[in-house]
Amino acid sequence: MVSFLLSIVVLIIGYLVYGVFLEKVLGIDRNKKTPAYELRDDVDYTPLPTWKVFMIQFLNIAGLGPIFGAIAGAMFGPAAFLWIVLGSIFAGATHDYFSGMLSVRHKGLSISEVVGIYLGPKVKHLMRAFTIILLIFVGTVFLVGPAKIIDGLSSESMGVPFWVLLILVYYFLSTLLPIDKLIGKLYPIFGLAMLIMALGLFVVLMTGDFTIPEVTWGNLRNMTSNPTETPIFPVLFVTIACGAISGFHATQSPLMARCMRNESNGRVIFSGTMITEGIVALIWAAAAMVCFGDVGALNSTMAANNNNAAWAANEITLSMLGQVGGVLAVLGIIAAPITSGDTAFRSCRLILADVFQLDQKKYIKRFYISLPLFVIAFALTQVDFGIIWRYFAWSNQTLATVVLWTITAYLIFEKKNYVVSLVPAIFMTMVCSTYILIAPEGFSIENTYAYWGGAVITILVMGLFGWYVTKGRLQMA
């Protein structure tokens, strides 16, 4: 219990202290006109109140990740707490704040275009394709996930395909309509459900007869059923993405960069939402560790139910909050992924519009861009959900890594403190390269060789980056 509460306190202190430090590293300009005013079109570029921008950003990034990822991460034991805290403060908040503010500084451009500015046109073209594929994966994951949850809760089951189509219709509308017409009006309601869900679980954890594992040296071991197949490094750092660091966040930040009224709002909107998501992930991880007895029981229960995190989330809410509280909490579970899926498709539309320089004021142009995305996403719903989720997890963290290197290049070129992003960039490069070598959906290399391979790839990436920025600085001189 002490470690859990201390983790929440450290996250809050991290936002108040390290968040201010990051803001000073960037150097904000309160008098500079933001894209919301400079390029206002009342479709994507429109100034919104800070509280509403915060809520939209939070719901954009807080999809199934801090719930499903936290439950799966809890299977490793209290090591999950450490990664959520340290990852959120030193990696996630850094990633989210700078990626959001760089978009603000570049007229609300999509992350692939921002990457191209600082890492070159070749990387930009690669990131365009990579980001679009990731966002379609996200939209598909957040289409199938909530559809399965709703179907499981339905007394008269309509079947998953029915709910998929219904959610798809909502996604289509939210992608086409101006941001303040549907998303801006529904998100505060969904946000309230998310807050009630998190607060309810927290209160039960504090008042119930539960023993949350402490972060001790003895407990910082791999508690999964098969530690050899799921080593803490790198699997834990990919399993818990949202709630620690997630590349998906960088795809969502440009949406809010186009709605921010002032640069001074960036810390609360980008860093603040990341830290809030970290707290949500902590609560779910703690709940998962105690709901079924202990971490060992969590592992065996998950194994018996095909590692179905949606089932586990439903069981946790119903058993810990009862029927009434469970309904509110499940509403949060459903709202979270839906409010990430809709903006995933919206972000994808904006990226394509940036790439082809298409004006988005007319509905018909937004329709032409969006329709193929939904056709592809619907086709992907026929693929096994577990396969989609695994590839989404790795590609998501890979995108976060590229964004961290982009931020580092920007800070170097601007002669600012680049260590804040360089350290997490190196760490995440090692995580992603090792994971793809070791994972069954990757190369399935034996652990020791995968670690050495990950180290070699990381050193090569560092060398290539050093060569690139040196060349860039010489050209700028």
Side-chain angles (χ1 to χ4, degrees), residues 308-329:
N308 188 338
W311 172 87
N314 188 37
E315 287 297 307
I316 290 169
T317 52
L318 290 177
S319 63
M320 296 183 72
L321 296 176
Q323 291 294 332
V324 176
V327 169
L328 292 173

Side-chain angles (χ1 to χ4, degrees), residues 64 67 95 101 131 140 171 195 198 300 328 353 355 362 387 426 451 453:
L64 291 173
I67 300 174
H95 170 278
M101 293 305 295
T131 306
T140 304
Y171 282 178
L195 291 175
S300 58
L328 292 173
V355 170
K362 294 183 178 179
I387 294 174
I426 293 172
Y451 292 140

